[in-house]
Amino acid sequence: MHSALPIIDFSPILFGSLESRQCTISEIDNALRTVGAFYLRNYGIERAKIDMWFEWSQRFFDLPLSEKERLFPTPRSFEQGYFGIHKEKVREQTALKENFDFGDPEANNASCWPQEEQLPGFRDFAADFHQVCEHSNDDKLLECLSVALNQEPDFFGCYHTGSMFVSSLIHYPAVSSDSLRSGQVVRSPAHSDLGTLTLLFQQNIGGLEVADMSSTNKLSSAAVEKSATFIPVEPDAETILVNVGYLLMRWSNARWKNSVHRVSEPPSLIDKQIVPERYSFAFFSFPDAHTVVEPLPACHNTEIPKRWGPINAGKYLLSKRDKLYS
Ligand SMILES: O=C(O)CCC(=O)C(=O)O
Ligand SMILES: [Fe+2]
C-alpha cells in the first residue's frame, strides 16, 4: 500500500505525445510544489538490472573493512570512495551506515576503486548503472523541470553535463530496534540533499521517511523535523523516489522546497528485536562546479520576492561535504 506520496508514471515522457507529456510535467510540478518528492513509475530502468546492482552492492560491502578503508577519499577526489560507519555527521549525530560513492565513470581515479581482481566486473557494472541513471532518467527529468518553469527544454541540462553527478551505494548494518527507537543510534538523521534532484532506490527493507513540505513553512532540516508530517516511503519494486535538493530550491526560489528526509525504524518490522541490514542506492544530480545558481526571474515578481542571491555550486558543495565528513 502506498502512502500519501504522489505516484507519477514516467512513460508519457519516455514514449508519449506532446499532450500527455505536458500533463506529466504538471503532475511533477504539483508534486514538487507540495510534498517535495514523488514515487516515479515506468522510469526506464529494468528491475532486473537494479536487483543485480544490489547484489554488487552486497559483494562490495562484504569486502574486508581493511580493503574498503583503502578507498578512503582524498581531498581532491572528495566525491569518490568509501565512507565508513559513523563517518557522516549531521547536527552532531553520526549515521550508522557505510557508503561507497563515485562520480564520472570516465574519470581516471583507479585508487578509489577496489582492485579488478578483488571484485571482477564491479567497476564496469557501476559505470554502466551510473550512465543509465544519468541518461535514461535524470536528463529527462531535468527537461521536465525546465519546461515546468517556462524555460527552454535544455535549460537545466546545460548546467548539468554530469561532471558532478554522484552515485552512492549505501549499507546500513543490522541493529537492535531498542537502540534505534531510543535514539541512541540513527541510521540517517533528517537532512536535505545538496544538489538538484536525487533518485533513490531501495532494496527490500524500508525505514525511509520524507517530510511533507506542504505541512510546514520551515525550510531547514532541524526545523522541518520538528514541525512537519513525515510520510513513510515503502520499498516497492515498481517505483523509485525522486526528491528536490537544496540548490534546486534556490533556483526555483522555493517554488520547490528541499525535501527533508531520514531513515529510521521500518514500520513493518516494529515487532522485531533486530532491524535487519538495509541496502539503498542514491543517484545525486548536481550542477557543474562553475555554475552560479540564482532564483530564476520566472520564479519571482513583486508579490513573490527573490529569496536568495547567487551562489557558486562547486564552492557550496565543497563546504557542505567538508562539514558532513569533518
Ligand atoms: O538510504 C536511504 O534510503 C536514504 C539515503 C539518503 O537520504 C542520502 O544518502 O542522502
Ligand atoms: Fe538524502
Side-chain angles (χ1 to χ4, degrees), residues 88-291:
E88 188 177 303
K89 195 157 74 182
V90 178
R91 297 189 303 283
E92 298 311 310
Q93 276 183 301
T94 58
L96 188 70
K97 67 167 183 178
E98 50 182 344
N99 48 302
F100 175 69
D101 291 7
F102 59 95
D104 182 1
E106 307 289 318
N108 184 14
N109 46 13
S111 64
C112 297
W113 289 89
Q115 311 259 323
E116 186 59 20
E117 52 277 18
Q118 242 175 346
L119 225 46
F122 174 66
R123 187 170 176 174
D124 283 348
F125 196 96
D128 177 57
F129 202 85
H130 183 93
Q131 263 157 352
V132 166
C133 287
E134 181 174 343
H135 298 302
S136 70
N137 198 283
D138 221 85
D139 284 352
K140 296 190 173 68
L141 277 167
L142 290 174
E143 226 175 86
C144 295
L145 299 185
S146 306
V147 174
L149 296 183
N150 296 320
Q151 307 297 307
E152 290 298 322
D154 66 348
F155 173 80
F156 281 117
C158 289
Y159 298 104
H160 294 78
T161 61
S163 62
M164 301 290 282
F165 288 9
V166 174
S167 278
S168 181
L169 282 173
I170 310 166
H171 173 231
Y172 303 83
V175 62
S176 81
S177 327
D178 282 350
S179 57
L180 272 187
R181 219 169 286 167
S182 64
Q184 196 187 335
V185 296
V186 56
R187 280 194 152 171
S188 183
H191 67 280
S192 63
D193 299 337
L194 308 174
T196 310
L197 283 180
T198 304
L199 312 179
L200 200 282
F201 301 71
Q202 308 183 71
Q203 199 188 31
N204 52 356
I205 301 293
L208 176 63
E209 298 174 313
V210 296
D212 176 354
M213 296 303 290
S214 66
S215 69
T216 174
N217 56 7
K218 307 286 191 231
L219 295 179
S220 79
S221 304
V224 170
E225 185 163 42
K226 286 201 196 102
S227 54
T229 311
F230 276 78
I231 309 171
V233 184
E234 303 287 349
D236 174 302
E238 304 285 307
T239 55
I240 57 173
L241 181 81
V242 179
N243 67 262
V244 174
Y246 177 76
L247 287 179
L248 182 58
M249 170 169 78
R250 284 180 72 133
W251 240 323
S252 72
N253 200 33
R255 174 192 183 95
W256 303 325
K257 309 211 170 58
N258 58 186
S259 162
V260 174
H261 50 282
R262 64 188 179 202
V263 180
S264 39
E265 196 181 358
S268 58
L269 299 172
I270 212 105
D271 54 346
K272 299 275 187 300
Q273 289 191 342
I274 297 291
V275 179
E277 62 181 343
R278 172 174 195 272
Y279 291 87
S280 63
F281 168 68
F283 183 82
F284 301 105
S285 58
F286 200 89
D288 297 338
H290 57 80
T291 306

